[in-house]
């Protein structure tokens, strides 16, 4: 079993400020089909936004969609999506203190955050926009109100294209990392058989969880520093930093995903 998992925005999708390679998406589609790879998208996008991306950029449908920053899992079968109810049961069992409504109440008066629209929220995801230039102050305040009370993780990332700080409260059992571990176990794959590709702050967990990590060439500088810091403490951690020297590709976005897949032998 070979699993290639990848974030979407500015990882597989060329929607950042860097110039992507023409034809890279078509090559990704062809290579994953040729080499019989199980494709998993691991994204902050909800289902509608994921389908929008598939139509807009021409990327293939994945076999598995880990959406909403790891809080939902769907399988693509016979031309349609099947929601994984087992994942919901698992999260509720492992994170019994999780309560999105109580988290919302706890941070209601925090200055500098704004709740995201309902389409970006679900039973396991409470999300906000953050004034990025004040993020240290805001996150310290939030820690005092929330941290450790709700079986939660607090994930902060920065969207450099839209210049927005993004804050997600998630159950500690429903992150990009834990959802990918759940999928890998379901398909009988060990972590060393799973390649995960990312570019930004909320990819730090799966990139440092024991999978074969890939950081595309346009990865956020802070993410690169954080991953390297973890590697210094754990020499067994596998993380590959795309350079742009594979098959004539420049290493940005889709090309970095392809380069990483070749590096780990997903593509021969």
């Amino acid at each position: 079993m070979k699993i290639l998992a990848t974030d979407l925005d500015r990882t597989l999708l060329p929607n950042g400020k860097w110039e992507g390679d023409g034809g890279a998406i078509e090559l990704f589609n062809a290579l994953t089909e040729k080499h019989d790879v199980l494709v998993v998208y691991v994204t902050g996008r909800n289902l509608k936004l994921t389908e929008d991306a598939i139509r807009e950029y021409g990327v293939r449908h994945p076999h598995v969609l880990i959406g909403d920053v790891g809080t939902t899992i769907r399988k693509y079968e016979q031309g349609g999506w099947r929601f994984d109810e087992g994942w919901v049961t698992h999260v509720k069992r492992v994170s019994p203190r999780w309560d999105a409504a109580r988290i919302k109440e706890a941070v209601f008066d925090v200055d500098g955050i704004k709740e995201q629209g309902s389409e970006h929220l679900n039973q396991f995801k409470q999300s906000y926009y953050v004034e990025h230039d004040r993020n240290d102050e805001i996150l310290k305040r939030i820690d005092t109100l929330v941290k450790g009370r709700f079986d939660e993780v607090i994930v902060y990332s920065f969207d450099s294209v839209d210049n927005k700080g993004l804050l997600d409260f998630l159950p500690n059992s429903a992150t990009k990392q834990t959802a990918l571990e759940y999928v890998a176990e379901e398909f009988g794959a060990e972590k060393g058989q799973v390649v995960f590709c990312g570019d930004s702050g909320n990819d730090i967990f799966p990139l440092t969880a024991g999978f074969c990590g890939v950081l595309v060439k346009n990865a956020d500088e802070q993410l690169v520093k954080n991953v390297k810091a973890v590697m210094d403490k754990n020499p067994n951690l596998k993380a590959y930093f795309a350079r742009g020297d594979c098959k004539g590709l420049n290493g940005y976005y889709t090309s970095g995903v392809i380069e990483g897949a070749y590096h780990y032998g997903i593509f021969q």
Side-chain angles (χ1 to χ4, degrees):
M1 173 61 64
K2 296 186 291 185
I3 298 179
L4 178 56
T6 177
D7 176 51
L8 287 179
D9 290 286
R10 289 172 290 287
T11 302
L12 186 64
L13 304 181
N15 56 350
K17 63 183 180 181
W18 301 268
E19 188 69 28
D21 284 313
I25 286 177
E26 291 80 2
L27 180 59
F28 169 83
N29 293 345
L31 286 169
T32 51
E33 184 68 28
K34 175 182 177 182
H35 294 282
D36 194 26
V37 176
L38 186 88
V39 176
V40 182
Y41 293 164
V42 189
T43 178
R45 289 187 178 228
N46 58 28
L47 179 59
K48 179 185 180 302
L49 292 178
T50 299
E51 290 181 321
D52 289 346
I54 289 170
R55 286 190 295 269
E56 180 179 356
Y57 292 95
V59 292
R60 57 167 292 168
H61 280 86
H63 297 98
V64 181
L65 171 62
I66 296 173
D68 303 282
V69 205
T71 59
T72 60
I73 298 178
R74 291 176 171 87
K75 310 292 196 323
Y76 191 74
E77 300 169 344
Q78 298 178 337
W81 297 101
R82 179 174 63 82
F83 189 78
D84 191 332
E85 294 289 353
W87 176 238
V88 174
T89 302
H90 170 82
V91 173
K92 288 181 177 179
R93 177 176 56 81
V94 178
S95 303
R97 293 190 298 165
W98 168 259
D99 191 324
R102 289 184 63 199
I103 289 175
K104 180 177 179 177
E105 291 174 2
V107 302
F108 182 78
D109 291 327
V110 175
D111 185 48
I113 67 173
K114 179 182 178 182
E115 188 179 44
Q116 295 182 22
S118 59
E119 69 274 17
H120 300 298
L121 311 176
N122 64 44
Q123 62 180 324
F124 298 140
K125 183 173 181 284
Q126 183 65 27
S127 298
Y128 296 84
Y129 299 114
V130 178
E131 294 180 16
H132 180 64
D133 56 354
R134 297 176 54 206
N135 74 84
D136 286 342
E137 163 201 342
I138 292 168
L139 293 175
K140 287 178 182 177
R141 170 69 174 147
I142 285 171
D143 271 359
T144 64
L145 297 170
V146 174
K147 193 169 184 179
R149 294 177 57 196
F150 303 106
D151 291 340
E152 85 293 333
V153 291
I154 302 171
V155 181
Y156 182 78
S157 58
F158 177 61
D159 186 334
S160 59
V161 174
D162 293 333
N163 199 36
K164 291 179 179 177
L166 303 173
L167 176 65
D168 297 310
F169 296 96
L170 314 170
N172 54 18
S173 59
T175 65
K176 285 186 172 185
Q177 172 192 334
T178 58
L180 187 53
E181 288 170 344
Y182 176 91
V183 169
E185 183 176 356
E186 179 181 355
F187 285 93
E190 298 180 359
K191 282 189 174 181
Q193 298 171 295
V194 179
V195 172
F196 173 79
C197 310
D199 78 294
S200 65
N202 61 18
D203 297 321
I204 182 68
F205 297 117
L207 284 169
T208 56
F211 302 114
C212 296
V214 176
L215 289 85
V216 292
K217 193 175 178 181
N218 53 283
D220 179 76
E221 290 182 6
Q222 188 60 52
L223 176 68
V224 172
K225 290 179 182 177
N226 290 343
V227 171
K228 288 183 176 180
V230 177
M231 292 177 74
D232 287 341
K233 295 178 181 178
N234 181 7
N236 294 321
L237 185 70
K238 294 181 180 179
Y240 175 78
F241 301 85
R243 301 187 295 264
D245 58 358
C246 174
K247 308 292 181 181
L249 302 172
N250 65 17
Y252 296 114
Y253 316 117
T254 324
S255 298
V257 174
I258 293 171
E259 181 180 333
Y262 270 112
H263 173 77
Y264 288 115
I266 292 288
F267 303 150
Q268 297 296 330

